[in-house]
Amino acid sequence: MLALLIYLLGQRSSAEWVSWVMVGVTASRYLLVMGVLASATLARPNPFRAVGALGTYVGGTVLALALLFAAA
C-alpha cells in the first residue's frame, strides 16, 4: 500500500514536503526490518522496531491524506 501511495504521489507534481515524507517512510521501513532482524526474540520490544513501526503508520497516514487532498 505504501508503494502505491508513493507511486501515485510521485506521478503528480507534489510539494517538497511530500518527497521528504516518502523518504522518511522508506527509512522507517528499513528501521523496522533492522529491528526484526536484530531481535533475538520478537516477544521483547526493540527500539528500532518501535520507531520503524511508528514512522510507517504516521508517514503512511500523512501520504494517504496528501493523496486525498491532491485528488480533491
Side-chain angles (χ1 to χ4, degrees):
M1 190 53 112
L2 279 174
L4 184 61
L5 285 171
I6 289 171
Y7 175 75
L8 290 173
L9 285 169
Q11 294 299 314
R12 300 174 179 268
S13 58
S14 300
E16 184 72 24
W17 64 270
V18 174
S19 298
W20 285 107
V21 173
M22 290 178 194
V23 170
V25 167
T26 304
S28 295
R29 297 303 294 174
Y30 279 106
L31 282 174
L32 181 67
V33 170
M34 279 178 33
V36 168
L37 293 177
S39 294
T41 177
L42 294 179
R44 292 191 347 224
N46 184 317
F48 288 122
R49 206 170 73 208
V51 171
L54 181 65
T56 298
Y57 287 126
V58 171
T61 302
V62 170
L63 289 177
L65 289 174
L67 184 63
L68 182 69
F69 288 129

Short mmCIF file of all heavy atoms in Angstrom, two decimals:
data_model
loop_
_atom_site.label_atom_id
_atom_site.label_comp_id
_atom_site.label_asym_id
_atom_site.label_seq_id
_atom_site.Cartn_x
_atom_site.Cartn_y
_atom_site.Cartn_z
N MET A 1 0.82 -1.18 0.00
CA MET A 1 0.00 0.00 0.00
C MET A 1 0.87 1.26 0.00
O MET A 1 0.56 2.23 -0.68
CB MET A 1 -0.92 -0.02 1.21
CG MET A 1 -1.96 1.04 1.16
SD MET A 1 -2.86 1.02 -0.37
CE MET A 1 -4.43 0.52 0.12
N LEU A 2 1.96 1.22 0.78
CA LEU A 2 2.86 2.37 0.79
C LEU A 2 3.49 2.59 -0.59
O LEU A 2 3.64 3.73 -1.03
CB LEU A 2 3.96 2.19 1.83
CG LEU A 2 3.58 2.50 3.26
CD1 LEU A 2 4.71 2.14 4.20
CD2 LEU A 2 3.23 3.96 3.41
N ALA A 3 3.86 1.51 -1.24
CA ALA A 3 4.45 1.64 -2.57
C ALA A 3 3.45 2.28 -3.54
O ALA A 3 3.84 3.12 -4.37
CB ALA A 3 4.89 0.27 -3.08
N LEU A 4 2.20 1.92 -3.44
CA LEU A 4 1.17 2.51 -4.30
C LEU A 4 0.99 3.99 -3.98
O LEU A 4 0.87 4.82 -4.90
CB LEU A 4 -0.15 1.76 -4.14
CG LEU A 4 -1.29 2.19 -5.03
CD1 LEU A 4 -0.92 2.00 -6.49
CD2 LEU A 4 -2.54 1.41 -4.71
N LEU A 5 0.97 4.34 -2.70
CA LEU A 5 0.85 5.75 -2.33
C LEU A 5 2.04 6.55 -2.84
O LEU A 5 1.88 7.65 -3.39
CB LEU A 5 0.76 5.90 -0.80
CG LEU A 5 -0.56 5.53 -0.14
CD1 LEU A 5 -0.41 5.52 1.36
CD2 LEU A 5 -1.64 6.50 -0.56
N ILE A 6 3.24 6.01 -2.68
CA ILE A 6 4.43 6.71 -3.15
C ILE A 6 4.40 6.84 -4.66
O ILE A 6 4.74 7.89 -5.21
CB ILE A 6 5.70 5.98 -2.65
CG1 ILE A 6 5.84 6.19 -1.14
CG2 ILE A 6 6.94 6.47 -3.37
CD1 ILE A 6 6.93 5.36 -0.50
N TYR A 7 3.99 5.80 -5.36
CA TYR A 7 3.91 5.85 -6.82
C TYR A 7 2.91 6.91 -7.28
O TYR A 7 3.22 7.73 -8.15
CB TYR A 7 3.52 4.48 -7.38
CG TYR A 7 3.30 4.49 -8.86
CD1 TYR A 7 4.37 4.55 -9.74
CD2 TYR A 7 2.01 4.45 -9.39
CE1 TYR A 7 4.18 4.58 -11.11
CE2 TYR A 7 1.80 4.48 -10.75
CZ TYR A 7 2.88 4.54 -11.61
OH TYR A 7 2.68 4.58 -12.96
N LEU A 8 1.72 6.90 -6.71
CA LEU A 8 0.69 7.85 -7.14
C LEU A 8 1.07 9.28 -6.83
O LEU A 8 0.85 10.19 -7.65
CB LEU A 8 -0.65 7.50 -6.49
CG LEU A 8 -1.31 6.22 -7.00
CD1 LEU A 8 -2.54 5.89 -6.17
CD2 LEU A 8 -1.66 6.33 -8.46
N LEU A 9 1.65 9.51 -5.66
CA LEU A 9 2.07 10.87 -5.33
C LEU A 9 3.29 11.29 -6.13
O LEU A 9 3.48 12.47 -6.42
CB LEU A 9 2.34 10.99 -3.83
CG LEU A 9 1.09 11.03 -2.95
CD1 LEU A 9 1.47 10.88 -1.49
CD2 LEU A 9 0.31 12.31 -3.17
N GLY A 10 4.13 10.34 -6.49
CA GLY A 10 5.29 10.65 -7.30
C GLY A 10 4.93 11.02 -8.73
O GLY A 10 5.68 11.75 -9.40
N GLN A 11 3.80 10.55 -9.21
CA GLN A 11 3.36 10.89 -10.56
C GLN A 11 2.84 12.31 -10.65
O GLN A 11 2.81 12.90 -11.73
CB GLN A 11 2.26 9.92 -11.02
CG GLN A 11 2.74 8.50 -11.18
CD GLN A 11 3.84 8.40 -12.22
OE1 GLN A 11 3.74 8.95 -13.31
NE2 GLN A 11 4.90 7.70 -11.86
N ARG A 12 2.41 12.84 -9.53
CA ARG A 12 1.91 14.22 -9.51
C ARG A 12 3.06 15.15 -9.16
O ARG A 12 4.05 14.75 -8.59
CB ARG A 12 0.82 14.37 -8.45
CG ARG A 12 -0.37 13.49 -8.68
CD ARG A 12 -1.34 13.61 -7.50
NE ARG A 12 -2.49 12.79 -7.70
CZ ARG A 12 -3.62 13.22 -8.27
NH1 ARG A 12 -3.71 14.45 -8.67
NH2 ARG A 12 -4.63 12.41 -8.42
N SER A 13 2.89 16.40 -9.46
CA SER A 13 3.89 17.39 -9.03
C SER A 13 3.54 17.79 -7.59
O SER A 13 2.85 18.76 -7.36
CB SER A 13 3.89 18.59 -9.97
OG SER A 13 2.61 19.18 -9.99
N SER A 14 4.02 16.99 -6.66
CA SER A 14 3.70 17.20 -5.26
C SER A 14 4.63 18.24 -4.64
O SER A 14 5.66 18.59 -5.19
CB SER A 14 3.84 15.88 -4.48
OG SER A 14 2.96 14.92 -5.00
N ALA A 15 4.24 18.66 -3.46
CA ALA A 15 5.06 19.62 -2.72
C ALA A 15 6.35 18.94 -2.24
O ALA A 15 6.45 17.72 -2.19
CB ALA A 15 4.26 20.14 -1.53
N GLU A 16 7.31 19.75 -1.88
CA GLU A 16 8.62 19.25 -1.43
C GLU A 16 8.49 18.40 -0.16
O GLU A 16 9.19 17.41 0.01
CB GLU A 16 9.56 20.43 -1.19
CG GLU A 16 10.96 20.06 -0.80
CD GLU A 16 11.74 19.48 -1.97
OE1 GLU A 16 11.40 19.76 -3.12
OE2 GLU A 16 12.69 18.73 -1.68
N TRP A 17 7.56 18.78 0.72
CA TRP A 17 7.43 18.04 1.98
C TRP A 17 6.92 16.63 1.74
O TRP A 17 7.22 15.72 2.52
CB TRP A 17 6.53 18.79 2.98
CG TRP A 17 5.10 18.94 2.54
CD1 TRP A 17 4.57 19.97 1.83
CD2 TRP A 17 4.04 18.03 2.78
NE1 TRP A 17 3.24 19.76 1.61
CE2 TRP A 17 2.88 18.57 2.18
CE3 TRP A 17 3.94 16.81 3.43
CZ2 TRP A 17 1.65 17.94 2.24
CZ3 TRP A 17 2.71 16.18 3.49
CH2 TRP A 17 1.58 16.75 2.90
N VAL A 18 6.17 16.42 0.67
CA VAL A 18 5.68 15.08 0.35
C VAL A 18 6.85 14.17 0.00
O VAL A 18 6.89 13.01 0.40
CB VAL A 18 4.62 15.13 -0.78
CG1 VAL A 18 4.21 13.73 -1.20
CG2 VAL A 18 3.42 15.92 -0.35
N SER A 19 7.81 14.70 -0.72
CA SER A 19 9.01 13.92 -1.05
C SER A 19 9.77 13.54 0.20
O SER A 19 10.28 12.42 0.31
CB SER A 19 9.92 14.72 -1.98
OG SER A 19 9.26 15.01 -3.18
N TRP A 20 9.86 14.45 1.16
CA TRP A 20 10.55 14.14 2.41
C TRP A 20 9.80 13.11 3.23
O TRP A 20 10.42 12.27 3.90
CB TRP A 20 10.79 15.41 3.22
CG TRP A 20 11.90 16.23 2.65
CD1 TRP A 20 11.79 17.41 1.97
CD2 TRP A 20 13.28 15.91 2.68
NE1 TRP A 20 13.03 17.84 1.56
CE2 TRP A 20 13.96 16.93 2.00
CE3 TRP A 20 14.01 14.86 3.21
CZ2 TRP A 20 15.35 16.93 1.84
CZ3 TRP A 20 15.39 14.86 3.06
CH2 TRP A 20 16.04 15.88 2.39
N VAL A 21 8.49 13.14 3.19
CA VAL A 21 7.71 12.11 3.89
C VAL A 21 7.92 10.75 3.24
O VAL A 21 8.04 9.74 3.93
CB VAL A 21 6.21 12.49 3.94
CG1 VAL A 21 5.37 11.37 4.51
CG2 VAL A 21 5.99 13.76 4.74
N MET A 22 8.02 10.73 1.92
CA MET A 22 8.31 9.47 1.22
C MET A 22 9.65 8.90 1.65
O MET A 22 9.77 7.69 1.89
CB MET A 22 8.31 9.70 -0.30
CG MET A 22 6.98 9.99 -0.91
SD MET A 22 7.23 10.28 -2.67
CE MET A 22 5.67 11.01 -3.10
N VAL A 23 10.65 9.74 1.74
CA VAL A 23 11.98 9.30 2.20
C VAL A 23 11.91 8.81 3.64
O VAL A 23 12.49 7.78 4.00
CB VAL A 23 13.01 10.44 2.04
CG1 VAL A 23 14.31 10.09 2.71
CG2 VAL A 23 13.22 10.76 0.58
N GLY A 24 11.17 9.53 4.48
CA GLY A 24 11.03 9.14 5.88
C GLY A 24 10.32 7.80 6.06
O GLY A 24 10.71 6.98 6.90
N VAL A 25 9.29 7.57 5.26
CA VAL A 25 8.57 6.31 5.34
C VAL A 25 9.46 5.15 4.89
O VAL A 25 9.47 4.08 5.50
CB VAL A 25 7.27 6.37 4.49
CG1 VAL A 25 6.67 5.02 4.29
CG2 VAL A 25 6.27 7.29 5.15
N THR A 26 10.24 5.39 3.84
CA THR A 26 11.16 4.35 3.37
C THR A 26 12.22 4.05 4.42
O THR A 26 12.52 2.88 4.69
CB THR A 26 11.81 4.79 2.05
OG1 THR A 26 10.78 5.09 1.11
CG2 THR A 26 12.70 3.70 1.50
N ALA A 27 12.75 5.08 5.05
CA ALA A 27 13.73 4.88 6.13
C ALA A 27 13.09 4.14 7.31
O ALA A 27 13.74 3.29 7.94
CB ALA A 27 14.29 6.22 6.58
N SER A 28 11.85 4.44 7.60
CA SER A 28 11.14 3.75 8.68
C SER A 28 10.98 2.27 8.40
O SER A 28 11.11 1.44 9.30
CB SER A 28 9.76 4.38 8.91
OG SER A 28 9.88 5.69 9.36
N ARG A 29 10.71 1.95 7.15
CA ARG A 29 10.59 0.53 6.80
C ARG A 29 11.91 -0.20 6.99
O ARG A 29 11.95 -1.33 7.45
CB ARG A 29 10.12 0.37 5.35
CG ARG A 29 8.73 0.93 5.08
CD ARG A 29 7.68 0.34 5.96
NE ARG A 29 7.50 -1.08 5.66
CZ ARG A 29 6.73 -1.89 6.34
NH1 ARG A 29 6.05 -1.44 7.36
NH2 ARG A 29 6.63 -3.16 6.02
N TYR A 30 13.02 0.45 6.63
CA TYR A 30 14.34 -0.14 6.85
C TYR A 30 14.62 -0.32 8.34
O TYR A 30 15.19 -1.33 8.76
CB TYR A 30 15.43 0.69 6.18
CG TYR A 30 15.57 0.43 4.72
CD1 TYR A 30 15.13 1.34 3.77
CD2 TYR A 30 16.16 -0.75 4.26
CE1 TYR A 30 15.26 1.10 2.42
CE2 TYR A 30 16.29 -1.00 2.90
CZ TYR A 30 15.84 -0.08 1.99
OH TYR A 30 15.97 -0.32 0.65
N LEU A 31 14.24 0.68 9.16
CA LEU A 31 14.43 0.55 10.60
C LEU A 31 13.61 -0.60 11.17
O LEU A 31 14.08 -1.32 12.06
CB LEU A 31 14.02 1.86 11.31
CG LEU A 31 15.02 2.99 11.25
CD1 LEU A 31 14.41 4.25 11.87
CD2 LEU A 31 16.29 2.61 11.97
N LEU A 32 12.41 -0.76 10.67
CA LEU A 32 11.56 -1.85 11.13
C LEU A 32 12.20 -3.20 10.82
O LEU A 32 12.26 -4.09 11.69
CB LEU A 32 10.18 -1.76 10.48
CG LEU A 32 9.15 -2.80 10.87
CD1 LEU A 32 8.75 -2.64 12.32
CD2 LEU A 32 7.93 -2.70 9.98
N VAL A 33 12.73 -3.35 9.64
CA VAL A 33 13.38 -4.61 9.26
C VAL A 33 14.64 -4.83 10.10
O VAL A 33 14.90 -5.94 10.56
CB VAL A 33 13.71 -4.63 7.75
CG1 VAL A 33 14.59 -5.80 7.39
CG2 VAL A 33 12.41 -4.65 6.96
N MET A 34 15.41 -3.76 10.34
CA MET A 34 16.59 -3.89 11.19
C MET A 34 16.20 -4.34 12.59
O MET A 34 16.88 -5.17 13.20
CB MET A 34 17.33 -2.55 11.29
CG MET A 34 18.22 -2.27 10.14
SD MET A 34 19.07 -0.66 10.20
CE MET A 34 19.34 -0.37 11.91
N GLY A 35 15.10 -3.81 13.11
CA GLY A 35 14.64 -4.20 14.43
C GLY A 35 14.19 -5.64 14.50
O GLY A 35 14.42 -6.33 15.49
N VAL A 36 13.56 -6.12 13.46
CA VAL A 36 13.12 -7.52 13.42
C VAL A 36 14.32 -8.45 13.32
O VAL A 36 14.40 -9.48 14.00
CB VAL A 36 12.13 -7.75 12.26
CG1 VAL A 36 11.88 -9.22 12.03
CG2 VAL A 36 10.82 -7.03 12.52
N LEU A 37 15.28 -8.10 12.46
CA LEU A 37 16.43 -8.97 12.26
C LEU A 37 17.40 -8.94 13.45
O LEU A 37 18.08 -9.92 13.72
CB LEU A 37 17.17 -8.58 10.99
CG LEU A 37 16.41 -8.83 9.68
CD1 LEU A 37 17.23 -8.34 8.50
CD2 LEU A 37 16.05 -10.29 9.53
N ALA A 38 17.46 -7.82 14.15
CA ALA A 38 18.41 -7.68 15.27
C ALA A 38 17.87 -8.28 16.56
O ALA A 38 18.64 -8.50 17.50
CB ALA A 38 18.75 -6.21 15.48
N SER A 39 16.59 -8.56 16.65
CA SER A 39 16.00 -9.10 17.87
C SER A 39 16.26 -10.59 17.99
O SER A 39 16.12 -11.33 17.02
CB SER A 39 14.48 -8.88 17.89
OG SER A 39 14.18 -7.52 17.95
N ALA A 40 16.62 -10.99 19.20
CA ALA A 40 16.76 -12.42 19.44
C ALA A 40 15.38 -13.07 19.46
O ALA A 40 15.21 -14.19 18.99
CB ALA A 40 17.48 -12.65 20.77
N THR A 41 14.43 -12.35 20.02
CA THR A 41 13.05 -12.82 20.04
C THR A 41 12.13 -11.64 19.78
O THR A 41 12.43 -10.51 20.17
CB THR A 41 12.70 -13.48 21.39
OG1 THR A 41 11.33 -13.86 21.37
CG2 THR A 41 12.95 -12.56 22.56
N LEU A 42 11.02 -11.88 19.13
CA LEU A 42 10.08 -10.80 18.85
C LEU A 42 9.16 -10.51 20.03
O LEU A 42 8.37 -9.58 19.99
CB LEU A 42 9.24 -11.15 17.62
CG LEU A 42 10.02 -11.23 16.31
CD1 LEU A 42 9.09 -11.59 15.17
CD2 LEU A 42 10.74 -9.93 16.01
N ALA A 43 9.30 -11.29 21.10
CA ALA A 43 8.48 -11.08 22.29
C ALA A 43 8.93 -9.84 23.07
O ALA A 43 8.13 -9.22 23.77
CB ALA A 43 8.53 -12.31 23.19
N ARG A 44 10.22 -9.49 22.94
CA ARG A 44 10.73 -8.32 23.65
C ARG A 44 10.74 -7.12 22.73
O ARG A 44 11.01 -7.23 21.53
CB ARG A 44 12.16 -8.59 24.14
CG ARG A 44 12.19 -9.64 25.21
CD ARG A 44 13.53 -9.75 25.91
NE ARG A 44 14.62 -9.06 25.24
CZ ARG A 44 15.82 -9.57 25.08
NH1 ARG A 44 16.10 -10.78 25.52
NH2 ARG A 44 16.76 -8.87 24.48
N PRO A 45 10.44 -5.93 23.29
CA PRO A 45 10.44 -4.74 22.45
C PRO A 45 11.85 -4.38 21.97
O PRO A 45 12.84 -4.66 22.63
CB PRO A 45 9.90 -3.64 23.35
CG PRO A 45 9.72 -4.22 24.69
CD PRO A 45 10.02 -5.67 24.64
N ASN A 46 11.91 -3.77 20.81
CA ASN A 46 13.16 -3.32 20.23
C ASN A 46 12.95 -1.88 19.78
O ASN A 46 11.98 -1.58 19.10
CB ASN A 46 13.52 -4.21 19.04
CG ASN A 46 14.86 -3.87 18.46
OD1 ASN A 46 15.20 -2.71 18.28
ND2 ASN A 46 15.63 -4.90 18.14
N PRO A 47 13.87 -0.95 20.13
CA PRO A 47 13.67 0.45 19.75
C PRO A 47 13.62 0.68 18.24
O PRO A 47 12.85 1.51 17.77
CB PRO A 47 14.85 1.19 20.38
CG PRO A 47 15.73 0.18 20.99
CD PRO A 47 15.05 -1.15 20.96
N PHE A 48 14.43 -0.06 17.48
CA PHE A 48 14.38 0.10 16.01
C PHE A 48 13.01 -0.30 15.47
O PHE A 48 12.46 0.36 14.59
CB PHE A 48 15.45 -0.76 15.33
CG PHE A 48 16.84 -0.24 15.51
CD1 PHE A 48 17.81 -1.03 16.10
CD2 PHE A 48 17.19 1.02 15.09
CE1 PHE A 48 19.09 -0.57 16.25
CE2 PHE A 48 18.47 1.51 15.25
CZ PHE A 48 19.43 0.70 15.83
N ARG A 49 12.49 -1.38 16.01
CA ARG A 49 11.19 -1.86 15.56
C ARG A 49 10.08 -0.87 15.93
O ARG A 49 9.18 -0.60 15.13
CB ARG A 49 10.91 -3.23 16.19
CG ARG A 49 9.97 -4.06 15.37
CD ARG A 49 9.91 -5.46 15.89
NE ARG A 49 9.16 -5.48 17.14
CZ ARG A 49 9.34 -6.37 18.10
NH1 ARG A 49 10.23 -7.31 17.99
NH2 ARG A 49 8.62 -6.33 19.18
N ALA A 50 10.17 -0.30 17.12
CA ALA A 50 9.15 0.65 17.57
C ALA A 50 9.18 1.93 16.74
O ALA A 50 8.13 2.42 16.30
CB ALA A 50 9.35 0.97 19.05
N VAL A 51 10.37 2.48 16.52
CA VAL A 51 10.48 3.71 15.73
C VAL A 51 10.08 3.45 14.28
O VAL A 51 9.39 4.27 13.66
CB VAL A 51 11.92 4.28 15.81
CG1 VAL A 51 12.13 5.41 14.83
CG2 VAL A 51 12.21 4.74 17.23
N GLY A 52 10.47 2.30 13.75
CA GLY A 52 10.10 1.97 12.38
C GLY A 52 8.60 1.81 12.19
O GLY A 52 8.04 2.28 11.21
N ALA A 53 7.97 1.17 13.15
CA ALA A 53 6.51 0.99 13.06
C ALA A 53 5.79 2.32 13.19
O ALA A 53 4.85 2.61 12.44
CB ALA A 53 6.03 0.02 14.13
N LEU A 54 6.22 3.14 14.14
CA LEU A 54 5.59 4.45 14.33
C LEU A 54 5.76 5.32 13.09
O LEU A 54 4.81 5.95 12.63
CB LEU A 54 6.17 5.14 15.56
CG LEU A 54 5.57 6.50 15.88
CD1 LEU A 54 4.10 6.36 16.26
CD2 LEU A 54 6.35 7.16 17.01
N GLY A 55 6.96 5.34 12.54
CA GLY A 55 7.21 6.12 11.32
C GLY A 55 6.40 5.63 10.14
O GLY A 55 5.93 6.42 9.33
N THR A 56 6.22 4.32 10.06
CA THR A 56 5.42 3.76 8.97
C THR A 56 3.96 4.17 9.09
O THR A 56 3.34 4.60 8.11
CB THR A 56 5.53 2.23 8.97
OG1 THR A 56 6.89 1.87 8.74
CG2 THR A 56 4.66 1.61 7.89
N TYR A 57 3.41 4.06 10.29
CA TYR A 57 2.00 4.41 10.48
C TYR A 57 1.75 5.90 10.28
O TYR A 57 0.81 6.29 9.57
CB TYR A 57 1.51 3.99 11.86
CG TYR A 57 1.32 2.50 12.00
CD1 TYR A 57 1.94 1.79 13.02
CD2 TYR A 57 0.52 1.79 11.12
CE1 TYR A 57 1.78 0.43 13.15
CE2 TYR A 57 0.35 0.43 11.24
CZ TYR A 57 0.99 -0.24 12.26
OH TYR A 57 0.82 -1.59 12.39
N VAL A 58 2.59 6.72 10.88
CA VAL A 58 2.39 8.17 10.78
C VAL A 58 2.64 8.63 9.34
O VAL A 58 1.83 9.38 8.77
CB VAL A 58 3.30 8.91 11.77
CG1 VAL A 58 3.28 10.41 11.52
CG2 VAL A 58 2.89 8.61 13.20
N GLY A 59 3.73 8.19 8.75
CA GLY A 59 4.05 8.60 7.38
C GLY A 59 3.02 8.09 6.38
O GLY A 59 2.66 8.81 5.44
N GLY A 60 2.55 6.88 6.55
CA GLY A 60 1.52 6.34 5.66
C GLY A 60 0.22 7.13 5.75
O GLY A 60 -0.43 7.39 4.73
N THR A 61 -0.13 7.52 6.96
CA THR A 61 -1.34 8.33 7.14
C THR A 61 -1.19 9.69 6.48
O THR A 61 -2.10 10.17 5.80
CB THR A 61 -1.66 8.50 8.64
OG1 THR A 61 -1.80 7.21 9.23
CG2 THR A 61 -2.91 9.31 8.85
N VAL A 62 -0.02 10.30 6.63
CA VAL A 62 0.24 11.60 6.01
C VAL A 62 0.20 11.49 4.48
O VAL A 62 -0.38 12.34 3.80
CB VAL A 62 1.59 12.17 6.51
CG1 VAL A 62 2.00 13.38 5.70
CG2 VAL A 62 1.50 12.52 7.98
N LEU A 63 0.80 10.43 3.95
CA LEU A 63 0.77 10.25 2.49
C LEU A 63 -0.65 10.00 1.98
O LEU A 63 -1.03 10.50 0.92
CB LEU A 63 1.68 9.10 2.08
CG LEU A 63 3.18 9.34 2.20
CD1 LEU A 63 3.94 8.07 1.81
CD2 LEU A 63 3.62 10.52 1.36
N ALA A 64 -1.42 9.24 2.72
CA ALA A 64 -2.81 8.99 2.32
C ALA A 64 -3.62 10.29 2.32
O ALA A 64 -4.41 10.55 1.41
CB ALA A 64 -3.45 7.96 3.23
N LEU A 65 -3.40 11.12 3.34
CA LEU A 65 -4.11 12.40 3.39
C LEU A 65 -3.64 13.33 2.28
O LEU A 65 -4.44 14.06 1.70
CB LEU A 65 -3.90 13.06 4.76
CG LEU A 65 -4.62 12.37 5.92
CD1 LEU A 65 -4.22 13.01 7.24
CD2 LEU A 65 -6.13 12.44 5.72
N ALA A 66 -2.35 13.30 1.97
CA ALA A 66 -1.84 14.14 0.87
C ALA A 66 -2.46 13.73 -0.45
O ALA A 66 -2.81 14.59 -1.27
CB ALA A 66 -0.31 14.03 0.81
N LEU A 67 -2.60 12.43 -0.67
CA LEU A 67 -3.23 11.97 -1.91
C LEU A 67 -4.71 12.33 -1.94
O LEU A 67 -5.25 12.73 -2.97
CB LEU A 67 -3.06 10.46 -2.05
CG LEU A 67 -3.58 9.85 -3.35
CD1 LEU A 67 -2.81 10.41 -4.55
CD2 LEU A 67 -3.46 8.35 -3.31
N LEU A 68 -5.36 12.22 -0.80
CA LEU A 68 -6.77 12.59 -0.71
C LEU A 68 -6.99 14.06 -1.03
O LEU A 68 -7.88 14.42 -1.79
CB LEU A 68 -7.33 12.24 0.67
CG LEU A 68 -8.79 12.52 0.92
CD1 LEU A 68 -9.64 11.57 0.08
CD2 LEU A 68 -9.13 12.38 2.38
N PHE A 69 -6.15 14.92 -0.46
CA PHE A 69 -6.30 16.35 -0.70
C PHE A 69 -5.85 16.74 -2.12
O PHE A 69 -6.34 17.70 -2.67
CB PHE A 69 -5.54 17.17 0.34
CG PHE A 69 -6.20 17.13 1.70
CD1 PHE A 69 -5.46 16.82 2.81
CD2 PHE A 69 -7.55 17.39 1.86
CE1 PHE A 69 -6.04 16.78 4.07
CE2 PHE A 69 -8.15 17.34 3.10
CZ PHE A 69 -7.39 17.04 4.21
N ALA A 70 -4.92 16.00 -2.67
CA ALA A 70 -4.47 16.28 -4.06
C ALA A 70 -5.55 15.90 -5.06
O ALA A 70 -5.66 16.51 -6.12
CB ALA A 70 -3.18 15.52 -4.36
N ALA A 71 -6.35 14.89 -4.72
CA ALA A 71 -7.41 14.44 -5.63
C ALA A 71 -8.62 15.36 -5.59
O ALA A 71 -9.40 15.40 -6.54
CB ALA A 71 -7.83 13.03 -5.28
N ALA A 72 -8.75 16.10 -4.51
CA ALA A 72 -9.93 16.98 -4.35
C ALA A 72 -9.79 18.29 -5.06
O ALA A 72 -8.88 18.70 -5.62
CB ALA A 72 -10.18 17.26 -2.88
#
